[in-house]
Amino acid sequence: MPEKSSKIPKAPDIELTADVKTERLRFERVPKTKTAFPGTGERESISKTERENLPENVERDVVYRKSRIRWRATSEAVREERPKDL
């Protein structure tokens, strides 16, 4: 299981971003969301979501207007320090 960190990697090996704007948004079902960083090897990974006019816990059949969601996920492999040759 990857390590979770609260700091954003300085030079991520992978970075994904999404920016969505809506005029009207309605959920027929309350979504279950999850971000995972599967794989092997130690790494620093984080995801962050920013919302405008959209609560953290949305409600079924409520119309949200002029909302915006910005999402970012980054992951950086943790590299071992190699000993310097003498």
Side-chain angles (χ1 to χ4, degrees), residues 8-69:
I8 295 175
K10 293 176 186 159
D13 296 306
I14 297 172
E15 180 175 19
L16 301 171
T17 60
D19 190 351
V20 178
K21 295 179 184 179
T22 69
E23 287 296 318
R24 294 179 59 228
L25 179 62
R26 181 178 65 86
F27 295 90
E28 291 180 359
R29 285 182 277 158
V30 175
K32 294 180 183 177
T33 62
K34 178 181 176 182
T35 301
F37 298 91
T40 59
E42 188 177 342
R43 61 190 161 278
E44 294 287 334
S45 302
I46 189 169
S47 70
K48 182 179 179 181
T49 304
E50 296 176 12
R51 300 169 181 239
E52 294 176 15
N53 297 326
L54 193 65
E56 183 70 28
N57 297 308
V58 297
E59 296 180 38
R60 181 176 176 245
D61 291 328
V62 172
V63 176
Y64 300 97
R65 299 184 189 283
K66 301 215 182 273
S67 60
R68 182 176 187 181
I69 302 104

